Amino acid sequence: MTEPKKLFIKTYGCQMNVYDSERMVEAMGAEGYVTTEVAEDADMVLLNTCHIREKASEKLYSDLGRLKPLKAARPDLKIGVAGCVAQAEGAEIQRRMPLVDIVVGPQAYHRLPQLARGTGPQVDTDFPEEDKFDLLPARKARRGPTAFLTVQEGCDKFCAFCVVPYTRGAEVSRPVDRIMTEARDLISRGVREITLLGQNVNAYHGHGPADQGGGDWTLARLIRALAKVDGLDRIRYTTSHPNDMDDDLIAAHGDVPQLMPYLHLPVQSGSDRILKAMNRKHTRDDYFRLVDRIRAARPDILLSSDFIVGFPGETDSDFHDTMDLVRHVTYGAAFSFKYSARPGTPAAEKPDVEAEVADARLQELQALITSQQRAAQLAMVGREVGVLYEKAGRQPGQMVGKSDHLHAVHVDDPDGKVGELVRVRVSGSATNSLSAVRIS
Ligand code: SAH
Ligand code: SF4
Ligand code: F3S
């Protein structure tokens, strides 16, 4: 018997890339490849890249640089670049890094096996008519009780700073029946929690099944259908745009018990002037009203957000508006980034805020977010929550999982098993996790 070929894959960027990497592993599995954790052992190295900020895409070039000796020693080693940098800079990658054999954009992954079989440089950065998901092999083995499921791809919003509409293409929603089939299949393999993914997931509008009248379904309708599937205990979704939170989706947070009380709802800035310059198409007051309605539907929901500081033209007063918005909303967690000018986006034409000013603002905002995150964790102490065990903890007899509110929780539970959904009482709060005692 010949040894199977080995694939080393490294994933950068967002959850959609994590999901895509799983699907690419499965596609190459059908070609006889098994995965390896060691690049030196691999017959093929695949880097699934992110283009969102300059630092993210520069990582690709330094990682490729490190692969040079490996490729020199073994010229038959195949090196592939997938993901958003591949889409945005395919030609540039091949010019700067001739060691790269394959460049494949996010909408062309179903063609990866064919590209890997080819000789000489292979590039595919089309936005083909066919849906890659229909042409990728069905899902295979599952590793744990939680899974991502991409339901929507691409973005039509064109925020002035963002590369996603260019790297992922226009918004496309997968049909409901395909999603339901994939969900049932994941559940049959032990998955109890599914996170529905999309760059703009709450803009979902996929074709409904013919036997249910067809038409376009909203994300809320999809969630309500998933909630009826036996064995699916938890549903989450990410990432959402404030302008696509419709009434039914808000209501679902109040009346679908499987929909978990955590919502990532990026606002980016608290200044109306900056929101306008960012092309976000909503005001800070719109966002406040939205948050009030979501909290009315589900009072204990934890909110998170993304923020960009140092967007071109951001003044001290604009930044204070952002700090004020954060104080007003109160987040359970949030991510903040220093603005990074991205080639080809409208904002990249405008002069940057001074680096030291942007750095200072980032620190100030992060300190505030950290204090809110701590407070949200402390407020959980004494409360009873659900935890889905994902793995054994570092201490003997300890299990680790996520709470309903997406906190990492450590539970002393020598009899606990991965995949168990248990009730616990939170007993303490550490820097990035909670500790708890099992009560059921
Ligand atoms: N679709 C999601 C965001 C995807 S990108 C949404 O609309 O919310 C994830 C985050 O990266 C964004 O929310 C934004 O905060 C940040 N980001 C995107 N482009 C950026 C840039 N050019 N500079 C700095 N941060 C950026
Ligand atoms: Fe980018 Fe999100 Fe804006 Fe789309 S909605 S352009 S993905 S930040
Ligand atoms: Fe990055 Fe592309 Fe995701 S740019 S954040 S990997 S959609």
Side-chain angles (χ1 to χ4, degrees), residues 41-61:
D41 290 349
D43 299 285
M44 178 169 172
V45 170
L46 192 57
L47 306 174
N48 191 10
T49 59
C50 174
H51 198 238
I52 203 81
R53 285 168 288 274
E54 191 179 356
K55 260 196 201 136
S57 46
E58 278 309 312
K59 255 190 219 146
L60 166 67
Y61 292 102

Side-chain angles (χ1 to χ4, degrees), residues 118-159:
T119 48
Q122 308 281 316
V123 183
D124 193 339
T125 50
D126 280 359
F127 289 121
E129 284 296 310
E130 70 259 31
D131 181 351
K132 70 175 174 198
F133 294 114
D134 290 351
L135 298 160
L136 284 164
R139 308 305 314 270
K140 289 265 170 51
R142 278 297 316 160
R143 294 169 312 228
T146 65
F148 291 140
L149 203 177
T150 295
V151 301
Q152 179 277 335
E153 274 223 283
C155 183
D156 296 341
K157 294 270 194 285
F158 292 93
C159 299

Side-chain angles (χ1 to χ4, degrees), residues 16 150-154 171-174 197-201 204:
M16 316 247 340
T150 295
V151 301
Q152 179 277 335
E153 274 223 283
E171 251 177 55
V172 181
S173 295
R174 297 174 68 191
L197 298 183
Q199 269 92 17
N200 207 356
V201 71
Y204 176 82

Side-chain angles (χ1 to χ4, degrees), residues 176-192:
V176 172
D177 54 0
R178 305 274 161 71
I179 295 166
M180 296 302 287
T181 304
E182 190 171 328
R184 285 199 190 91
D185 182 62
L186 288 168
I187 295 161
S188 75
R189 294 168 198 281
V191 167
R192 302 186 70 173

Side-chain angles (χ1 to χ4, degrees), residues 52 154-166 168 171 198-200 239-242 244 266 268 278-280 306 308:
I52 203 81
C155 183
D156 296 341
K157 294 270 194 285
F158 292 93
C159 299
F161 50 81
C162 182
V163 295
V164 170
Y166 311 98
R168 292 274 169 169
E171 251 177 55
Q199 269 92 17
N200 207 356
T239 300
S240 300
H241 192 286
D244 293 313
Q268 313 297 353
M278 286 176 163
N279 193 31
R280 291 289 291 184
D306 294 336
I308 294 177

Side-chain angles (χ1 to χ4, degrees), residues 387 389 393-395 398-401 407-413 424 427 430 432-437:
V387 173
Y389 287 158
R394 252 183 255 149
Q395 313 295 330
Q398 190 184 55
M399 296 301 294
V400 186
H407 286 126
V409 186
H410 294 91
V411 187
D412 285 322
D413 186 357
V424 304
S427 52
N432 280 312
S433 65
L434 301 173
S435 50
V437 178

Side-chain angles (χ1 to χ4, degrees), residues 28-91:
M28 294 310 290
E31 297 283 299
Y33 279 81
V34 298
T35 51
T36 171
E37 304 290 311
V38 188
E40 285 72 15
D41 290 349
D43 299 285
M44 178 169 172
V45 170
L46 192 57
L47 306 174
N48 191 10
T49 59
C50 174
H51 198 238
I52 203 81
R53 285 168 288 274
E54 191 179 356
K55 260 196 201 136
S57 46
E58 278 309 312
K59 255 190 219 146
L60 166 67
Y61 292 102
S62 59
D63 281 356
L64 284 174
R66 274 200 294 276
L67 286 172
K68 271 183 190 163
L70 209 59
K71 178 82 173 177
R74 288 178 25 219
D76 59 337
L77 170 70
K78 277 213 187 292
I79 298 185
V81 178
C84 292
V85 186
Q87 189 63 44
E89 300 179 0

